[in-house]
Amino acid sequence: MPRLMAIILIFAIALIVAALTAWGSLALWFRLSLPDAGRAIGAGVFLVFGLFTVAALASRLRVRAILSFAGVFALVLFWWSSIKPEANAAWARDVARQVTGSIDGNSLTLTDVRDFGWRSNSDFTERWTTRTYDVSKVKTVDLFMSYWAGPKIAHVIFSFGFEDGEQLAWSIEVRHKVGGAFSPLADLFKNDPLVILAADERDVVGVRSNVRGEDVQVYRLRASPEQARNLLLEYVAEANALARTPQFYNSITTNCTTTVAKLMRVAGDKVPFDWRLIVNGYLPDYAYDRGAIDTSMPLAQLREISKIDERARADGLSPDFSKAIRVGVPSPAAAATP
C-alpha cells in the first residue's frame, strides 16, 4: 500500500508539473519581449526543462528535480507578475476610448459614448459623444447575444432602457491595437487589455447584425427598475476603475460574460457558478432556467422570436433601430411594469 500511494503521489506531481510546464511555455511564447526566434528558444527551453523534471520523477533525482523546477517556475511567475497592460497605445479606432462617467444626484454624464456610423467592417464614420442621462428614469435591462463562432460562443451586451424609449448599450471587449485581431488563446496570456464601451444600439449591436452578419438575439430580462439602475451604476463604476487602472482581458477569467456576472452579483442578483457562464453561448438557457427571461413558451420558440437579424436588416440602422428589433419580443412581467 505505501508503494501504491507513492506511485499515485508521483503521478499527481507529474500532472501538476506537466500543466505548469504547458502554461509557462505558452506564456513565454506569447509574452517574451523578443523576436520570434528568441520567444521560441525561451519557450522551448522551459518546455524541455519541464519534461526533464517529469522524467526525473521516476528516478532518485526526483526531489532535486522538483526543487529546481519550483525555483525556475517562481522566476517565471515573478516575470509574469511584472507584465502590466498598456494605458496608451495605437488602439484600433473602435476601441480607442474608454467610457467614463460622473454622477450628480440622478444626473449621469458619460464621456466617450460611441456612436459610429457603420458602412462596412472597415468603413465607418467615427463619433464619440458626451451625454447626460437621468438614472431615475431607467426602467429595463435587456440581454443581447451575438453569436460569431457557432452556437457555443457569443458576445454579450447589456442594454438599459429609459422612460422615453432611449437605449444605452454596454459592451465589454478586447482592446486590440491597429492591425490586431481577437485570439482566444493569446488572450489567455495577457495579450490585450480590457475595454468597456457605452454605445448606441445602432452602433454596437447594428455592426454585428447588419455588417458582420452575426446571429444576434435580444432577451428582455426580468429586472425591476431598481435592479436595472443598480446594474447601470455598477457598469459606470467598473468603467471608471478600468480607466484608472487598466487590466488584461482573459478569455476565461475576465471576459464579456464573467465580468457581467460579477457586476450582477454586486447589483444584488445572486449568480452561482455555472459552466454556461464560460461556454457563454448557452447563457440564454441559464437565464431561462433561472426565470430571468420570459418562460411563457419553450426556450426554442423564444430563441427564434429573439433573433433580430431580419428585423435589423429591414430597418437599415435607422433612428428607430432599437424599437424595430424588439417587435414581437416578449417581456417578462417584472420587466414590462413601469
Side-chain angles (χ1 to χ4, degrees):
M1 182 62 72
R3 179 175 176 78
L4 177 60
M5 292 299 295
I7 292 173
I8 292 174
L9 178 60
I10 291 173
F11 182 72
I13 294 174
L15 288 179
I16 293 171
V17 171
L20 295 179
T21 298
W23 178 87
S25 299
L26 288 170
L28 290 166
W29 166 250
F30 282 114
R31 296 301 295 152
L32 266 182
S33 299
L34 295 173
D36 287 354
R39 293 188 295 118
I41 292 172
V45 168
F46 187 78
L47 177 62
V48 171
F49 180 67
L51 293 177
F52 171 80
T53 302
V54 171
L57 293 176
S59 72
R60 294 181 179 180
L61 297 174
R62 66 175 64 94
V63 174
R64 183 178 299 177
I66 291 173
L67 292 176
S68 297
F69 182 83
V72 172
F73 190 74
L75 292 176
V76 172
L77 285 181
F78 178 78
W79 159 76
W80 183 254
S81 66
S82 71
I83 301 173
K84 306 299 181 184
E86 295 178 78
N88 299 294
W91 307 119
R93 290 163 62 189
D94 58 326
V95 290
R97 303 191 189 186
Q98 164 65 57
V99 67
T100 56
S102 60
I103 300 172
D104 182 8
N106 286 324
S107 180
L108 167 63
T109 300
L110 295 178
T111 302
D112 290 328
V113 176
R114 204 179 78 181
D115 181 21
F116 280 26
W118 295 88
R119 291 174 291 276
S120 74
N121 212 30
S122 58
D123 180 19
F124 49 83
T125 299
E126 182 176 351
R127 291 187 295 264
W128 298 93
T129 64
T130 297
R131 301 183 185 179
T132 299
Y133 301 87
D134 185 344
V135 296
S136 70
K137 295 183 178 180
V138 177
K139 293 301 178 185
T140 62
V141 56
D142 296 335
L143 169 70
F144 282 92
M145 303 291 298
S146 188
Y147 292 85
W148 54 272
K152 296 180 180 179
I153 301 296
H155 182 70
V156 179
I157 297 171
F158 274 33
S159 184
F160 297 88
F162 294 79
E163 286 181 359
D164 60 2
E166 185 174 9
Q167 295 286 150
L168 176 64
W170 291 75
S171 179
I172 298 173
E173 304 190 8
V174 177
R175 196 177 202 183
H176 58 89
K177 297 178 182 178
V178 173
F182 174 63
S183 170
L185 179 58
D187 283 322
L188 288 171
F189 296 94
K190 296 186 175 182
N191 192 56
D192 289 305
L194 192 71
V195 66
I196 298 179
L197 301 174
D200 276 1
E201 287 184 350
R202 283 188 303 167
D203 173 350
V204 75
V205 175
V207 69
R208 290 171 165 81
S209 61
N210 291 37
V211 175
R212 298 174 186 168
E214 298 178 8
D215 174 14
V216 183
Q217 303 166 15
V218 60
Y219 297 90
R220 317 301 306 272
L221 294 182
R222 191 187 305 277
S224 67
E226 181 181 8
Q227 289 173 316
R229 286 192 293 273
N230 287 343
L231 184 55
L232 172 58
L233 294 177
E234 287 304 325
Y235 262 112
V236 175
E238 191 79 3
N240 288 341
L242 191 60
R244 291 190 299 269
T245 308
Q247 62 176 298
F248 283 107
Y249 182 95
N250 185 283
S251 304
I252 294 178
T253 62
T254 310
N255 58 45
C256 64
T257 304
T258 54
T259 305
V260 164
K262 180 180 70 174
L263 291 170
M264 290 178 68
R265 281 195 295 270
V266 175
D269 187 16
K270 296 180 180 179
V271 183
F273 176 78
D274 192 287
W275 62 271
R276 290 171 291 189
L277 293 175
I278 297 176
V279 188
N280 65 5
Y282 297 99
L283 194 57
D285 305 64
Y286 178 62
Y288 187 87
D289 290 345
R290 290 175 50 80
I293 57 179
D294 185 81
T295 56
S296 64
M297 63 185 75
L299 178 58
Q301 181 181 354
L302 177 63
R303 196 187 301 274
E304 286 302 312
I305 293 173
S306 297
K307 292 178 181 290
I308 74 165
D309 300 353
E310 290 186 8
R311 298 189 295 271
R313 286 191 292 268
D315 175 81
L317 303 181
S318 80
D320 293 324
F321 179 80
S322 293
K323 182 178 180 180
I325 61 176
R326 288 174 170 81
V327 171
V329 179
S331 298
T337 301

